[in-house]
Amino acid sequence: MKKHLSTVILVLVFLAGLGLVMYPTVSDLVNKAHQSVAIDDYEKKISNMTKDDFHKILEDARLYNHTITTNEFPRNESDLEGNDEYKAAVNPSGNGMIGYLKIDSIKLRIPIYHTTKESVLQKAVGHIPTTSLPVGGKGTHAVLTGHRGLPSARLFTDLDKVRTGDIFYIYVLDDILAYKVDLIKTVLPAQVNDLQIVPGKDYVTLVTCTPYGINTHRLIVRGERVPYEEAVEQQKSVEPVVGKLPQEQIAVLAVAPVLVLLLIIILILKKKKRRNAQ
């Protein structure tokens, strides 16, 4: 038994190390799979709805937005949760999912949920309840927020790679709203002037923490609504990338089999050494 103890310890240490290395990649892939399922379920739900259903939901959302004359920001748990009227607005699936966000320039497609509770931000993008709902319209400014650098999911990790002029899309009900990035800025958490409603403007702003891993400031990426056709025409110049993994994930997936092979070689050599010693 003792002669095999060192081998057992070696295997356990190796598996523990491999698990730590693989966890972020595997966890992110699982998270992306869950996001895809959520988006697919949302689209199936939408496909079974009628134009009248959409009209009623949008009318209620726009009436709600009329009550948001100036964007406020959560000061307590009640603000963070939002009221019953807010929770019922643009909630076709009944699970809090408003729609989803797509940013081709960073290969991101991610659900948007009501509120910025931690349970939401661990898996998706949250909508700040005290700002306009993201259904479009002049004099509205929806603010969406997401985490960066979680070990379990990338989420808004690559938001700093978005550039002025890039397009992002909000898929809500049967509509696709296109926004062209017109402002990228790093601010302190209390600096919210750029997140306010501007009369006549249709804005959506994406917010995350920065610098990466330090999180003392906020990175804001604001988009102004543009016609969908114009956005599609511009996107033709953007090389479509489908299904590519981030470089660090590719590296981990490439290295893992090599490490496993190395462990096998070490175990074989140890076995031969024991045989020669007998």
mmCIF file of all heavy atoms in Angstrom, residues 94-124:
data_model
loop_
_atom_site.group_PDB
_atom_site.id
_atom_site.type_symbol
_atom_site.label_atom_id
_atom_site.label_comp_id
_atom_site.label_asym_id
_atom_site.label_seq_id
_atom_site.Cartn_x
_atom_site.Cartn_y
_atom_site.Cartn_z
ATOM 1 N N GLY A 94 -42.345 35.316 -17.950
ATOM 2 C CA GLY A 94 -42.643 35.241 -16.532
ATOM 3 C C GLY A 94 -41.453 34.936 -15.653
ATOM 4 O O GLY A 94 -41.599 34.728 -14.443
ATOM 5 N N ASN A 95 -40.250 34.919 -16.240
ATOM 6 C CA ASN A 95 -39.041 34.619 -15.453
ATOM 7 C C ASN A 95 -38.124 35.832 -15.313
ATOM 8 O O ASN A 95 -36.982 35.702 -14.889
ATOM 9 C CB ASN A 95 -38.272 33.463 -16.096
ATOM 10 C CG ASN A 95 -37.781 33.792 -17.506
ATOM 11 O OD1 ASN A 95 -38.070 34.868 -18.040
ATOM 12 N ND2 ASN A 95 -37.054 32.863 -18.116
ATOM 13 N N GLY A 96 -38.643 37.001 -15.687
ATOM 14 C CA GLY A 96 -37.856 38.227 -15.545
ATOM 15 C C GLY A 96 -36.994 38.568 -16.734
ATOM 16 O O GLY A 96 -36.325 39.602 -16.734
ATOM 17 N N MET A 97 -37.002 37.731 -17.773
ATOM 18 C CA MET A 97 -36.161 38.004 -18.941
ATOM 19 C C MET A 97 -36.855 38.997 -19.863
ATOM 20 O O MET A 97 -37.943 38.745 -20.375
ATOM 21 C CB MET A 97 -35.837 36.718 -19.690
ATOM 22 C CG MET A 97 -34.864 36.918 -20.840
ATOM 23 S SD MET A 97 -34.293 35.335 -21.510
ATOM 24 C CE MET A 97 -33.534 35.872 -23.049
ATOM 25 N N ILE A 98 -36.196 40.151 -20.087
ATOM 26 C CA ILE A 98 -36.733 41.215 -20.937
ATOM 27 C C ILE A 98 -36.470 40.920 -22.406
ATOM 28 O O ILE A 98 -37.310 41.165 -23.276
ATOM 29 C CB ILE A 98 -36.097 42.571 -20.548
ATOM 30 C CG1 ILE A 98 -36.448 42.935 -19.104
ATOM 31 C CG2 ILE A 98 -36.527 43.672 -21.512
ATOM 32 C CD1 ILE A 98 -35.701 44.151 -18.575
ATOM 33 N N GLY A 99 -35.289 40.429 -22.704
ATOM 34 C CA GLY A 99 -34.855 40.166 -24.074
ATOM 35 C C GLY A 99 -33.398 39.764 -24.029
ATOM 36 O O GLY A 99 -32.941 39.197 -23.027
ATOM 37 N N TYR A 100 -32.657 40.086 -25.079
ATOM 38 C CA TYR A 100 -31.227 39.790 -25.018
ATOM 39 C C TYR A 100 -30.417 40.800 -25.821
ATOM 40 O O TYR A 100 -30.936 41.513 -26.682
ATOM 41 C CB TYR A 100 -30.915 38.358 -25.453
ATOM 42 C CG TYR A 100 -31.304 37.944 -26.856
ATOM 43 C CD1 TYR A 100 -30.376 37.973 -27.901
ATOM 44 C CD2 TYR A 100 -32.579 37.472 -27.145
ATOM 45 C CE1 TYR A 100 -30.711 37.560 -29.181
ATOM 46 C CE2 TYR A 100 -32.929 37.057 -28.415
ATOM 47 C CZ TYR A 100 -31.989 37.104 -29.433
ATOM 48 O OH TYR A 100 -32.323 36.690 -30.700
ATOM 49 N N LEU A 101 -29.136 40.855 -25.464
ATOM 50 C CA LEU A 101 -28.181 41.807 -26.029
ATOM 51 C C LEU A 101 -27.224 41.063 -26.944
ATOM 52 O O LEU A 101 -26.748 39.979 -26.606
ATOM 53 C CB LEU A 101 -27.413 42.479 -24.889
ATOM 54 C CG LEU A 101 -26.152 43.280 -25.231
ATOM 55 C CD1 LEU A 101 -26.513 44.565 -25.982
ATOM 56 C CD2 LEU A 101 -25.372 43.609 -23.953
ATOM 57 N N LYS A 102 -26.913 41.679 -28.082
ATOM 58 C CA LYS A 102 -25.958 41.066 -29.018
ATOM 59 C C LYS A 102 -24.956 42.133 -29.447
ATOM 60 O O LYS A 102 -25.328 43.199 -29.920
ATOM 61 C CB LYS A 102 -26.706 40.512 -30.225
ATOM 62 C CG LYS A 102 -25.863 39.706 -31.207
ATOM 63 C CD LYS A 102 -26.784 38.944 -32.159
ATOM 64 C CE LYS A 102 -26.007 38.182 -33.234
ATOM 65 N NZ LYS A 102 -25.627 39.071 -34.344
ATOM 66 N N ILE A 103 -23.660 41.838 -29.254
ATOM 67 C CA ILE A 103 -22.578 42.726 -29.678
ATOM 68 C C ILE A 103 -21.635 41.907 -30.550
ATOM 69 O O ILE A 103 -20.826 41.121 -30.049
ATOM 70 C CB ILE A 103 -21.807 43.326 -28.478
ATOM 71 C CG1 ILE A 103 -22.759 43.902 -27.424
ATOM 72 C CG2 ILE A 103 -20.850 44.412 -28.967
ATOM 73 C CD1 ILE A 103 -22.051 44.436 -26.191
ATOM 74 N N ASP A 104 -21.728 42.078 -31.845
ATOM 75 C CA ASP A 104 -20.933 41.260 -32.765
ATOM 76 C C ASP A 104 -19.437 41.515 -32.633
ATOM 77 O O ASP A 104 -18.634 40.598 -32.815
ATOM 78 C CB ASP A 104 -21.374 41.516 -34.209
ATOM 79 C CG ASP A 104 -22.763 40.956 -34.494
ATOM 80 O OD1 ASP A 104 -23.154 39.989 -33.817
ATOM 81 O OD2 ASP A 104 -23.460 41.493 -35.367
ATOM 82 N N SER A 105 -19.051 42.758 -32.310
ATOM 83 C CA SER A 105 -17.624 43.093 -32.282
ATOM 84 C C SER A 105 -16.864 42.355 -31.185
ATOM 85 O O SER A 105 -15.650 42.187 -31.264
ATOM 86 C CB SER A 105 -17.430 44.605 -32.129
ATOM 87 O OG SER A 105 -17.982 45.059 -30.905
ATOM 88 N N ILE A 106 -17.575 41.894 -30.142
ATOM 89 C CA ILE A 106 -16.921 41.110 -29.090
ATOM 90 C C ILE A 106 -17.566 39.720 -28.958
ATOM 91 O O ILE A 106 -17.363 39.031 -27.952
ATOM 92 C CB ILE A 106 -16.910 41.836 -27.729
ATOM 93 C CG1 ILE A 106 -18.342 42.175 -27.273
ATOM 94 C CG2 ILE A 106 -16.047 43.071 -27.792
ATOM 95 C CD1 ILE A 106 -18.395 42.713 -25.846
ATOM 96 N N LYS A 107 -18.350 39.352 -29.963
ATOM 97 C CA LYS A 107 -18.940 38.015 -30.035
ATOM 98 C C LYS A 107 -19.743 37.682 -28.777
ATOM 99 O O LYS A 107 -19.580 36.619 -28.171
ATOM 100 C CB LYS A 107 -17.863 36.962 -30.289
ATOM 101 C CG LYS A 107 -17.063 37.220 -31.567
ATOM 102 C CD LYS A 107 -15.973 36.205 -31.768
ATOM 103 C CE LYS A 107 -14.752 36.491 -30.918
ATOM 104 N NZ LYS A 107 -14.060 37.737 -31.303
ATOM 105 N N LEU A 108 -20.621 38.611 -28.396
ATOM 106 C CA LEU A 108 -21.411 38.440 -27.179
ATOM 107 C C LEU A 108 -22.897 38.369 -27.515
ATOM 108 O O LEU A 108 -23.417 39.183 -28.279
ATOM 109 C CB LEU A 108 -21.173 39.619 -26.221
ATOM 110 C CG LEU A 108 -21.953 39.590 -24.909
ATOM 111 C CD1 LEU A 108 -21.420 38.474 -24.000
ATOM 112 C CD2 LEU A 108 -21.866 40.926 -24.185
ATOM 113 N N ARG A 109 -23.555 37.360 -26.957
ATOM 114 C CA ARG A 109 -25.008 37.244 -27.034
ATOM 115 C C ARG A 109 -25.476 36.787 -25.658
ATOM 116 O O ARG A 109 -25.148 35.674 -25.234
ATOM 117 C CB ARG A 109 -25.431 36.245 -28.115
ATOM 118 C CG ARG A 109 -26.913 36.301 -28.460
ATOM 119 C CD ARG A 109 -27.256 35.336 -29.589
ATOM 120 N NE ARG A 109 -27.247 33.948 -29.146
ATOM 121 C CZ ARG A 109 -28.253 33.088 -29.356
ATOM 122 N NH1 ARG A 109 -29.338 33.476 -29.992
ATOM 123 N NH2 ARG A 109 -28.163 31.848 -28.942
ATOM 124 N N ILE A 110 -26.229 37.640 -24.954
ATOM 125 C CA ILE A 110 -26.480 37.377 -23.536
ATOM 126 C C ILE A 110 -27.865 37.876 -23.127
ATOM 127 O O ILE A 110 -28.314 38.928 -23.583
ATOM 128 C CB ILE A 110 -25.368 38.065 -22.692
ATOM 129 C CG1 ILE A 110 -25.443 37.661 -21.235
ATOM 130 C CG2 ILE A 110 -25.417 39.578 -22.846
ATOM 131 C CD1 ILE A 110 -24.215 38.084 -20.435
ATOM 132 N N PRO A 111 -28.571 37.121 -22.292
ATOM 133 C CA PRO A 111 -29.904 37.546 -21.852
ATOM 134 C C PRO A 111 -29.868 38.815 -21.007
ATOM 135 O O PRO A 111 -28.875 39.105 -20.328
ATOM 136 C CB PRO A 111 -30.396 36.360 -21.014
ATOM 137 C CG PRO A 111 -29.569 35.200 -21.425
ATOM 138 C CD PRO A 111 -28.233 35.769 -21.788
ATOM 139 N N ILE A 112 -30.973 39.554 -21.043
ATOM 140 C CA ILE A 112 -31.180 40.737 -20.202
ATOM 141 C C ILE A 112 -32.341 40.433 -19.262
ATOM 142 O O ILE A 112 -33.433 40.072 -19.715
ATOM 143 C CB ILE A 112 -31.530 41.987 -21.032
ATOM 144 C CG1 ILE A 112 -30.450 42.276 -22.068
ATOM 145 C CG2 ILE A 112 -31.761 43.193 -20.125
ATOM 146 C CD1 ILE A 112 -30.884 43.293 -23.129
ATOM 147 N N TYR A 113 -32.101 40.573 -17.970
ATOM 148 C CA TYR A 113 -33.141 40.319 -16.970
ATOM 149 C C TYR A 113 -33.481 41.591 -16.193
ATOM 150 O O TYR A 113 -32.668 42.519 -16.094
ATOM 151 C CB TYR A 113 -32.683 39.252 -15.977
ATOM 152 C CG TYR A 113 -32.681 37.854 -16.519
ATOM 153 C CD1 TYR A 113 -31.568 37.335 -17.173
ATOM 154 C CD2 TYR A 113 -33.796 37.024 -16.383
ATOM 155 C CE1 TYR A 113 -31.563 36.035 -17.668
ATOM 156 C CE2 TYR A 113 -33.798 35.721 -16.877
ATOM 157 C CZ TYR A 113 -32.683 35.236 -17.517
ATOM 158 O OH TYR A 113 -32.669 33.958 -18.019
ATOM 159 N N HIS A 114 -34.680 41.601 -15.626
ATOM 160 C CA HIS A 114 -35.053 42.647 -14.685
ATOM 161 C C HIS A 114 -34.114 42.616 -13.478
ATOM 162 O O HIS A 114 -33.696 41.538 -13.042
ATOM 163 C CB HIS A 114 -36.473 42.432 -14.164
ATOM 164 C CG HIS A 114 -37.551 42.745 -15.155
ATOM 165 N ND1 HIS A 114 -37.932 41.876 -16.145
ATOM 166 C CD2 HIS A 114 -38.330 43.842 -15.308
ATOM 167 C CE1 HIS A 114 -38.910 42.405 -16.859
ATOM 168 N NE2 HIS A 114 -39.169 43.606 -16.380
ATOM 169 N N THR A 115 -33.836 43.784 -12.943
ATOM 170 C CA THR A 115 -33.081 44.032 -11.706
ATOM 171 C C THR A 115 -31.588 43.741 -11.847
ATOM 172 O O THR A 115 -31.140 43.102 -12.808
ATOM 173 C CB THR A 115 -33.610 43.238 -10.485
ATOM 174 O OG1 THR A 115 -33.111 41.905 -10.494
ATOM 175 C CG2 THR A 115 -35.131 43.229 -10.445
ATOM 176 N N THR A 116 -30.853 44.216 -10.858
ATOM 177 C CA THR A 116 -29.407 43.980 -10.812
ATOM 178 C C THR A 116 -29.041 43.171 -9.566
ATOM 179 O O THR A 116 -27.980 43.356 -8.976
ATOM 180 C CB THR A 116 -28.636 45.317 -10.823
ATOM 181 O OG1 THR A 116 -29.094 46.146 -9.736
ATOM 182 C CG2 THR A 116 -28.864 46.054 -12.121
ATOM 183 N N LYS A 117 -29.931 42.279 -9.185
ATOM 184 C CA LYS A 117 -29.633 41.382 -8.065
ATOM 185 C C LYS A 117 -28.447 40.487 -8.428
ATOM 186 O O LYS A 117 -28.231 40.177 -9.593
ATOM 187 C CB LYS A 117 -30.860 40.527 -7.729
ATOM 188 C CG LYS A 117 -32.041 41.310 -7.210
ATOM 189 C CD LYS A 117 -33.166 40.397 -6.752
ATOM 190 C CE LYS A 117 -33.723 39.582 -7.904
ATOM 191 N NZ LYS A 117 -34.890 38.765 -7.475
ATOM 192 N N GLU A 118 -27.721 40.056 -7.428
ATOM 193 C CA GLU A 118 -26.530 39.253 -7.677
ATOM 194 C C GLU A 118 -26.866 37.943 -8.385
ATOM 195 O O GLU A 118 -26.081 37.443 -9.194
ATOM 196 C CB GLU A 118 -25.793 38.978 -6.362
ATOM 197 C CG GLU A 118 -24.386 38.435 -6.530
ATOM 198 C CD GLU A 118 -23.482 39.364 -7.343
ATOM 199 O OE1 GLU A 118 -23.680 40.597 -7.313
ATOM 200 O OE2 GLU A 118 -22.574 38.835 -8.023
ATOM 201 N N SER A 119 -28.046 37.387 -8.094
ATOM 202 C CA SER A 119 -28.452 36.148 -8.760
ATOM 203 C C SER A 119 -28.609 36.349 -10.262
ATOM 204 O O SER A 119 -28.406 35.412 -11.045
ATOM 205 C CB SER A 119 -29.768 35.635 -8.164
ATOM 206 O OG SER A 119 -30.798 36.603 -8.299
ATOM 207 N N VAL A 120 -28.949 37.564 -10.681
ATOM 208 C CA VAL A 120 -29.037 37.900 -12.102
ATOM 209 C C VAL A 120 -27.648 38.123 -12.679
ATOM 210 O O VAL A 120 -27.288 37.571 -13.725
ATOM 211 C CB VAL A 120 -29.909 39.154 -12.320
ATOM 212 C CG1 VAL A 120 -29.752 39.692 -13.745
ATOM 213 C CG2 VAL A 120 -31.377 38.854 -12.047
ATOM 214 N N LEU A 121 -26.845 38.915 -11.976
ATOM 215 C CA LEU A 121 -25.542 39.312 -12.508
ATOM 216 C C LEU A 121 -24.531 38.168 -12.549
ATOM 217 O O LEU A 121 -23.509 38.285 -13.222
ATOM 218 C CB LEU A 121 -24.980 40.477 -11.678
ATOM 219 C CG LEU A 121 -25.811 41.753 -11.694
ATOM 220 C CD1 LEU A 121 -25.118 42.855 -10.896
ATOM 221 C CD2 LEU A 121 -26.080 42.233 -13.117
ATOM 222 N N GLN A 122 -24.804 37.078 -11.857
ATOM 223 C CA GLN A 122 -23.919 35.913 -11.927
ATOM 224 C C GLN A 122 -24.078 35.158 -13.243
ATOM 225 O O GLN A 122 -23.216 34.365 -13.616
ATOM 226 C CB GLN A 122 -24.196 34.968 -10.764
ATOM 227 C CG GLN A 122 -23.676 35.456 -9.429
ATOM 228 C CD GLN A 122 -22.169 35.423 -9.321
ATOM 229 O OE1 GLN A 122 -21.516 34.535 -9.841
ATOM 230 N NE2 GLN A 122 -21.595 36.419 -8.649
ATOM 231 N N LYS A 123 -25.182 35.412 -13.970
ATOM 232 C CA LYS A 123 -25.455 34.606 -15.160
ATOM 233 C C LYS A 123 -25.763 35.428 -16.405
ATOM 234 O O LYS A 123 -25.750 34.889 -17.517
ATOM 235 C CB LYS A 123 -26.646 33.675 -14.892
ATOM 236 C CG LYS A 123 -27.952 34.426 -14.616
ATOM 237 C CD LYS A 123 -29.112 33.484 -14.311
ATOM 238 C CE LYS A 123 -30.402 34.268 -14.058
ATOM 239 N NZ LYS A 123 -31.549 33.386 -13.727
ATOM 240 N N ALA A 124 -26.049 36.731 -16.234
ATOM 241 C CA ALA A 124 -26.538 37.500 -17.375
ATOM 242 C C ALA A 124 -26.334 38.995 -17.133
ATOM 243 O O ALA A 124 -25.598 39.398 -16.231
ATOM 244 C CB ALA A 124 -28.015 37.190 -17.614
#
